Amino acid sequence: MDEHSCGSEPEPGGYRPIVASLTVLDNTPPILPPRNGNARRRRSTGQRARAPGAEQPSPIIDEFRRNFYPEATIEEWSDWRWQLRKRIRELDGLERIFSLSTDEHSAVEALGGRLPVGITPYYAALIDRSDADDPLRRTMIPLPGEFITGPGEADDPLAEDAYMPVPGLVHRYPDRVLFLVTNFCATYCRYCTRARLVGQTGEYHFNARQYEEGIEYIRSHPQIRDVLLSGGDPLTMSDDRIEWILSRLHDIQHVEFLRIGSKIPVVLPQRITPALCNMLRRYHPFWLSIHFMHPSEITPEVARACGRLADAGIPLGAQIVLTRGVNDDVDTMKRLVLGLLRIRVRPYYIYQCDPIAGSAHLRTPIEKGLEIVSGLRGYVTGYAVPTFVVDAPGGGGKIPIYPETLAGRDGEFVVLRNYEGKTFRYYDPETQVSRG
């Protein structure tokens, strides 16, 4: 496997792409947009790009490397393609590193065709090897709760499939679309909203003809000004494939800006190479939403990756899924949002965990999200306070939920409640006039 096959072709080891709810059309490699009058193909799949320079891992990470991957050179460890090839995916791989609990062991054995396990060696280094309650571990290693479908849960709770005019393109809001470009992820979060696309099917991969259908749909709908690339994780794809898609979208006049949603900077910071950043900056205005979960994810490697993206002029926003036993307390969330600001990432959304089948053991009550936002508001800078949102079942879209700050009206005044619970009267006669 080389850079050009990551996220686009079958992996070694016998994992075959199988059709999920989206149709595989063919395996045509991407074709660059016409330049100087002629379309041309980029490097053949057997041709490797120049490896990025090796970077010394931080001490804790390097200790893990020497203990569990003593054969790996620092250059290999720093190579994102090596990290993908060495992902931990099987029970024996997990047991080589972690002391699995009985529940974890039985859940991994019972996975069958459900959401597979996938953990990069780098990210495994951040996980406590003996504590089954370690926050990051709860997001990566399955538990028996995954096999219980509770009330209100569904494989596609957001009804994305119902809003797909063409395979892989979700058009739910008037002016923007979600363009799924791969179902390949570097790691598989146990609360994944799109577990249905990778769970029972193995890792399914898109191709040029399928991309063309999505691009043509966007081109023929001038009301679309914002395209979010997601999946799967788009940054698992080669630079060439990402650029092919971005360049095609960038050429559509009514598309005003592009975004990518990714967890790669967190679980595979080695992927954020200077070459990738130099390529992405060619498609401004371009934004990146990064999926963070816990303050222990903010390592020197991640700070370096985010700094590299920010230096390329890319606005960075964090999307956090509120998850039981991971980040469902004010102190943890405070450390996370302040840590994000320090590495130039603006906390953007806290998501209520979607009701996917088998997620009840990870979800929290809505009131927990309000409690956390109330615990942040006024105690940290406003830049560090994300909006708490529920993605409504059935395709209702993201709905913000706020702590109660408007206590009511008293004649020509409105009564407001601040972060300490104190109330204040705000003179507001114009509203009175309009009501009259």
Side-chain angles (χ1 to χ4, degrees):
M1 183 175 66
D2 65 14
E3 176 187 10
H4 301 280
S5 64
C6 290
S8 310
E9 304 290 344
E11 287 190 298
Y15 295 100
R16 302 293 304 170
I18 305 172
V19 177
S21 57
L22 305 174
T23 305
V24 176
L25 300 178
D26 68 11
N27 290 316
T28 308
I31 302 172
L32 284 179
R35 291 177 181 170
N36 300 323
N38 296 309
R40 60 190 175 90
R41 294 185 188 281
R42 277 279 172 96
R43 303 180 187 97
S44 67
T45 54
Q47 188 177 0
R48 294 178 69 98
R50 184 170 61 85
E55 293 177 333
Q56 179 65 39
S58 54
I60 293 176
I61 302 293
D62 201 37
E63 181 182 359
F64 178 88
R65 176 188 68 85
R66 285 185 276 106
N67 285 338
F68 292 99
Y69 296 88
E71 77 287 357
T73 65
I74 289 179
E75 183 175 25
E76 287 173 323
W77 181 269
S78 301
D79 185 339
W80 65 276
R81 296 156 298 189
W82 182 93
Q83 291 279 338
L84 282 182
R85 285 196 298 270
K86 297 294 183 180
R87 286 188 308 160
I88 304 160
R89 303 204 49 173
E90 307 290 351
L91 182 60
D92 58 351
L94 290 168
E95 289 185 320
R96 188 175 77 85
I97 294 173
F98 302 102
S99 298
L100 295 185
S101 68
T102 302
D103 281 348
E104 290 173 326
H105 189 281
S106 62
V108 175
E109 277 195 320
L111 269 185
R114 298 178 70 89
L115 180 69
V117 171
I119 310 173
T120 59
Y122 163 81
Y123 200 64
L126 307 183
I127 299 173
D128 192 300
R129 294 186 285 281
S130 58
D131 181 8
D133 291 327
D134 175 74
L136 298 187
R137 186 159 160 165
R138 287 176 60 82
T139 70
M140 288 288 126
I141 299 181
L143 290 169
E146 285 191 20
F147 305 100
I148 303 170
T149 299
E153 295 181 345
D155 289 341
D156 181 18
L158 308 184
E160 289 184 335
D161 291 347
Y163 285 83
M164 280 189 188
V166 298
L169 192 87
V170 181
H171 193 177
R172 186 166 56 185
Y173 299 98
D175 71 336
R176 53 197 185 275
V177 291
L178 170 67
F179 195 1
L180 306 178
V181 294
T182 177
N183 278 11
F184 186 100
C185 284
T187 59
Y188 290 111
C189 306
R190 306 322 299 174
Y191 47 86
C192 177
T193 296
R194 302 197 182 96
R196 71 189 188 282
L197 298 181
V198 294
Q200 296 182 356
T201 62
E203 289 169 342
Y204 162 77
H205 306 277
F206 290 73
N207 52 74
R209 282 183 53 196
Q210 196 153 324
Y211 297 146
E212 290 282 12
E213 286 193 36
I215 292 167
E216 184 54 38
Y217 179 87
I218 295 167
R219 182 182 292 112
S220 62
H221 288 75
Q223 71 270 34
I224 297 172
R225 63 178 125 204
D226 172 7
V227 179
L228 169 62
L229 303 184
S230 186
D233 198 316
L235 294 186
T236 60
M237 302 192 302
S238 70
D239 289 4
D240 284 349
R241 189 171 292 249
I242 298 169
E243 181 164 26
W244 182 82
I245 296 171
L246 291 178
S247 65
R248 297 293 300 276
L249 295 170
H250 196 259
D251 286 343
I252 299 174
Q253 193 169 12
H254 57 262
V255 174
E256 297 178 0
F257 63 99
L258 301 169
R259 296 183 286 154
I260 283 181
S262 175
K263 194 173 175 65
I264 283 294
V266 180
V267 299
L268 187 59
Q270 297 83 357
R271 174 67 182 99
I272 310 302
T273 63
L276 174 69
C277 295
N278 286 335
M279 182 272 287
L280 294 176
R281 72 191 308 167
R282 288 198 285 270
Y283 298 97
H284 281 312
F286 172 82
W287 298 57
L288 187 64
S289 296
I290 306 175
H291 178 186
F292 278 90
M293 288 296 284
H294 193 270
S296 61
E297 293 177 327
I298 303 174
T299 65
E301 283 84 351
V302 170
R304 188 161 53 224
C306 291
R308 196 169 275 163
L309 290 162
D311 286 345
I314 300 170
L316 305 176
Q319 301 189 112
I320 305 160
V321 180
L322 182 59
T323 310
R324 185 189 303 273
V326 177
N327 52 25
D328 59 336
D329 65 89
V330 173
D331 178 66
T332 299
M333 202 64 85
K334 186 181 294 183
R335 289 187 289 123
L336 174 57
V337 296
L338 291 177
L340 289 172
L341 286 190
R342 284 195 288 271
I343 62 171
R344 298 195 278 174
V345 180
R346 163 78 156 89
Y348 178 37
Y349 279 146
I350 293 177
Y351 280 108
Q352 174 72 3
C353 185
D354 291 330
I356 61 159
S359 62
H361 63 295
L362 295 173
R363 290 205 309 278
T364 55
I366 294 287
E367 288 80 1
K368 176 59 71 175
L370 292 173
E371 173 191 319
I372 288 175
V373 173
S374 296
L376 296 176
R377 191 168 55 87
Y379 296 95
V380 298
T381 172
Y383 285 111
V385 182
T387 301
F388 176 47
V389 296
V390 174
D391 214 336
K398 299 178 187 66
I399 300 175
I401 300 180
Y402 299 102
E404 187 60 62
T405 56
L406 180 61
R409 173 166 285 280
D410 180 11
E412 296 183 336
F413 294 84
V414 293
V415 182
L416 306 175
R417 183 178 293 110
N418 79 351
Y419 70 98
E420 297 171 305
K422 298 176 181 175
T423 55
F424 298 85
R425 288 155 54 88
Y426 177 82
Y427 184 58
D428 187 32
E430 291 185 1
T431 305
Q432 278 294 94
V433 170
S434 64
R435 290 170 66 194

